[in-house]
Amino acid sequence: MTNPDIQKVELEKAYRLLNHGPTVLVSAQDDDDIDVMAAAWACALEFSPAKVTVVLDKSTKTRKIIEKNGYFALQVPCLAQLDMTYQLGSISQFDELNKLELCGTQLFYPDDSGVPLVEGCIAWLICKVIPEPHNQQAHDLFIGSVMGAWADSRVFRDGHWYFSDAHRSLKSLHYIAGGTFYTIGDEVKANL
Amino acid sequence: MTNPDIQKVELEKAYRLLNHGPTVLVSAQDDDDIDVMAAAWACALEFSPAKVTVVLDKSTKTRKIIEKNGYFALQVPCLAQLDMTYQLGSISQFDELNKLELCGTQLFYPDDSGVPLVEGCIAWLICKVIPEPHNQQAHDLFIGSVMGAWADSRVFRDGHWYFSDAHRSLKSLHYIAGGTFYTIGDEVKANL
């Protein structure tokens, strides 16, 4: 990893990267075919072995690549990537061949899995599809087994988010509709 | 509805109640058997007809009731309910028969479905289980069809959240681990 802020996250704690419900970017590659889309419907499914769900509409190029290749990444974009996140969720590569260039999306490869990750995000999970044809066809629901996880140590380290200490531009995004998002807010602690 | 702040949400916009990834409370009733638990792994699945997913561990009483009765509600707790939310996720009714009393959980019934909702939340979705035995057994994953939705109009009206205008105590909660939550933060608008 060339960026020293990016640190490995142990797989047993990977669910914490998604537990607060951020909007994610979904990336995938099959040979020269690469796409990235935004998705609000991604969720942890299992602690250990770490698994996730993500809903991928049949109209998306990203889904087509994942169906061929069997791997995808979920990554957590931050406020600095607000416009890019919305654009990646609004523009289809079927309409705009140079979608990723238009959106200013830069990629990197953290391991030899060949799954591209989006630079500037605050957390990344590389996942292998657990084939579930019924879920994929009937519900557009994909289940992935988490193979590797990383986070930007400026906001996530030792298994915990530190949004309150970090710069506002590193806050996660939570999509509503029509280009409106919320950032994550303040940390609060509950008592039993 | 006795509380005039609670307004119906059209089913086509019900996904927006969950789209920003809040932690939810899951409630269910079968005759005199009533339970409520917290869940961070709930997600929208389909816009129309509105559907949701929620992960329910086999050890929970709430799941047992849902498996018998076929209905559940997802509701969005707010900062005013921080301790109650954590308690509902930590205490099992199998250990503490009077769990709901201990947690200070008050219920109401918005329609004749017999599904109890938790007072003081900011949004509610009553759901009917779409039976998927494989998902339920292998992944603890339940799919529900949304039959009715309501929100507290002080923070959600005309299909939009207004967290920035409302009192801080009405902000949604986003769970990480170990009693640590984040509140939802500020509204931001993206440009294409």
Side-chain angles (χ1 to χ4, degrees), chain B residues 73-122:
Chain B
L74 300 184
Q75 45 239 300
V76 181
C78 60
L79 182 55
Q81 299 170 306
L82 173 64
D83 288 348
M84 184 186 77
T85 300
Y86 186 47
Q87 289 160 9
L88 287 170
S90 305
I91 300 168
S92 170
Q93 206 178 112
F94 288 128
D95 303 322
E96 298 279 2
L97 271 174
N98 60 341
K99 170 183 176 179
L100 298 187
E101 199 179 321
L102 275 176
C103 297
T105 306
Q106 302 284 328
L107 302 169
F108 70 102
Y109 298 83
D111 59 14
D112 57 4
S113 70
V115 182
L117 303 187
V118 177
E119 283 191 4
C121 287
I122 51 176

Side-chain angles (χ1 to χ4, degrees), chain B residues 169-188:
Chain B
S169 64
L170 294 172
K171 282 178 182 277
S172 59
L173 296 170
H174 300 252
Y175 190 51
I176 308 293
T180 300
F181 294 77
Y182 278 85
T183 62
I184 196 66
D186 301 323
E187 185 181 278
V188 288

Side-chain angles (χ1 to χ4, degrees), chain A residues 47-112:
Chain A
F47 295 105
S48 182
K51 293 180 195 163
V52 297
T53 56
V54 61
V55 178
L56 302 170
D57 194 80
K58 292 182 184 71
S59 68
T60 63
K61 174 81 181 278
T62 307
R63 173 177 171 151
K64 298 275 179 283
I65 296 173
I66 294 169
E67 286 176 327
K68 279 186 70 176
N69 174 272
Y71 285 85
F72 63 91
L74 300 184
Q75 45 240 302
V76 181
C78 61
L79 182 55
Q81 299 170 305
L82 173 64
D83 288 347
M84 185 185 76
T85 300
Y86 187 46
Q87 288 160 9
L88 286 170
S90 305
I91 300 169
S92 171
Q93 205 178 112
F94 288 128
D95 302 322
E96 297 279 3
L97 271 175
N98 60 340
K99 171 184 175 178
L100 298 187
E101 198 179 323
L102 275 175
C103 297
T105 306
Q106 302 284 329
L107 302 169
F108 70 102
Y109 299 82
D111 60 13
D112 56 6

